[in-house]
């Protein structure tokens, strides 16, 4: 498994950032490649992901830990991915969101295509950074 960790500071209270992460239906607005997303029950989400010329249907389990500070997720079908979002208040009006993603490079390549090795890690890192920037924009717009 490979691990990627990134973070971004957002100019909103922690609760606003937390709420943005939990609105699954808004994932297409800030998660690259997500065409459609919906909640399915208390701790499940279903996502339709564009990858090249194909759409992949992915189910995920989402669990909250740490009293509004840590959201854990993992896919339950398709490419095996898992990770966490940590929401860390810096002060009453500023929050740091940290993301950690664990993935198997070979499985990601087989499922979604794209580069392999270092190029793949670089591409995933770039996508996660873009997603965090879009989350920041969305959260600050909602505030």
């Amino acid at each position: 498994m490979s691990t990627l960790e990134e973070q971004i500071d957002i100019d909103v209270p922690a609760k606003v950032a937390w709420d943005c992460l939990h609105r699954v239906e808004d994932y297409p607005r800030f998660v690259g490649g997500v065409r459609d997303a919906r909640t399915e029950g208390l701790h499940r989400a279903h996502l339709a992901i564009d990858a090249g010329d194909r759409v992949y249907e992915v189910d995920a389990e989402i669990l909250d830990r740490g009293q509004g500070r840590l959201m854990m997720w993992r896919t339950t079908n398709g490419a095996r991915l898992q990770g966490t979002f940590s929401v860390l208040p810096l002060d009453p009006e500023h929050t740091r969101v940290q993301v950690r993603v664990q993935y198997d490079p070979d499985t990601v390549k087989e499922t979604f295509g794209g580069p392999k090795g270092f190029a793949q890690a670089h591409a995933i890192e770039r996508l996660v950074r873009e997603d965090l920037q879009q989350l920041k924009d969305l959260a600050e717009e909602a505030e």
Side-chain angles (χ1 to χ4, degrees), residues 5-60:
E5 295 180 354
E6 290 290 332
Q7 67 183 28
I8 195 164
D9 292 346
I10 303 176
D11 297 332
V12 298
K15 180 166 180 8
V16 174
W18 183 255
D19 290 346
C20 283
L21 287 170
H22 278 78
R23 282 194 300 272
V24 172
E25 291 74 14
D26 281 348
Y27 285 11
R29 295 180 65 191
F30 71 90
V31 180
V34 174
R35 172 190 284 188
D36 184 50
R38 65 182 181 273
T39 56
E40 292 191 339
L42 189 57
H43 298 288
R44 299 214 176 271
H46 181 82
L47 303 123
I49 300 172
D50 284 327
D53 58 347
R54 298 184 62 191
V55 176
Y56 293 90
E57 303 289 326
V58 176
D59 294 313

Side-chain angles (χ1 to χ4, degrees), residues 6-8 84-88 96-100 132:
E6 290 290 332
Q7 67 183 28
I8 195 164
T84 59
F85 286 99
S86 299
V87 177
L88 309 166
R96 178 167 292 148
V97 175
Q98 296 175 324
V99 63
R100 181 178 191 188
L132 284 173

